[in-house]
Amino acid sequence: QVQLVESGGSLVQPGGSLRLSCTTSGFTLNYYAIGWFRQAPGKEREGVSCISNGGGVTEYADSVRGRFTISRDNGKKTVYLQMNNLKPEDTAVYYCARSRPPVRVGACEVNAYAYIDWGQGTQVIVSS
């Protein structure tokens, strides 16, 4: 079975940092782009970041660019989201997702329609 499991969410003060992990199984990770998305209470799910299959291309939402960094370790079958200088508006459940076939080499997009398999999410709360 295709599985993606997020971890690392926590309560953190504004200005703090967290690293989220997306551990995958059931597929060859280096064939797929991976995206991070988030959903805050009462809001629509929004794209945060994505990374191409080999890690050479990354994209970020304007709201997180310069603060968040996405990376991947295909050998460990894990994708990471390093979040620095967190703000209260970053509070949300964060999800990772696997891109929809056909495989794109060296490309990704921060659009939920480009992804087909999703994890359960991990909660991030930024509050003083």
Side-chain angles (χ1 to χ4, degrees), residues 5-12 16-23 36 78-83 86 92-96 120-126:
V5 180
E6 303 92 339
S7 62
S10 185
L11 172 66
V12 63
S17 297
L18 286 173
R19 188 180 73 161
L20 305 184
S21 297
C22 174
T23 301
W36 282 98
T78 302
V79 178
Y80 304 96
L81 185 68
Q82 179 67 46
M83 306 186 296
L86 284 161
V93 176
Y94 284 71
Y95 302 87
C96 62
Q120 300 297 311
T122 186
Q123 188 172 56
V124 173
I125 300 175
V126 185

Side-chain angles (χ1 to χ4, degrees), residues 9 17 33 35 37 43 45 54 66 75 79 100 102 109 114 116 120-121 124:
S17 297
F37 298 80
K43 294 186 177 181
R45 183 173 297 184
V79 178
R100 185 189 303 272
E109 59 183 298
I116 192 168
Q120 300 297 311
V124 173

Side-chain angles (χ1 to χ4, degrees), residues 97-109:
R98 184 178 72 148
S99 60
R100 185 189 303 272
V103 175
R104 292 186 181 186
V105 177
C108 75
E109 59 183 298

Side-chain angles (χ1 to χ4, degrees), residues 42-95:
K43 294 186 177 181
E44 186 176 330
R45 183 173 297 184
E46 64 175 343
V48 175
S49 184
C50 67
I51 187 165
S52 63
N53 64 304
V57 174
T58 58
E59 301 288 347
Y60 297 92
D62 290 343
S63 59
V64 307
R65 188 175 295 109
R67 299 188 297 120
F68 291 11
T69 303
I70 191 170
S71 62
R72 65 193 296 161
D73 186 333
N74 289 334
K76 295 182 179 179
K77 299 183 68 68
T78 302
V79 178
Y80 304 96
L81 185 68
Q82 179 67 46
M83 306 186 296
N84 297 327
N85 192 25
L86 284 161
K87 304 176 183 295
E89 51 264 42
D90 295 318
T91 296
V93 176
Y94 284 71
Y95 302 87

Side-chain angles (χ1 to χ4, degrees), residues 16-38:
S17 297
L18 286 173
R19 188 180 73 161
L20 305 184
S21 297
C22 174
T23 301
T24 70
S25 61
F27 64 97
T28 302
L29 182 59
N30 65 1
Y31 288 178
Y32 296 92
I34 299 294
W36 282 98
F37 298 80
R38 67 187 183 186

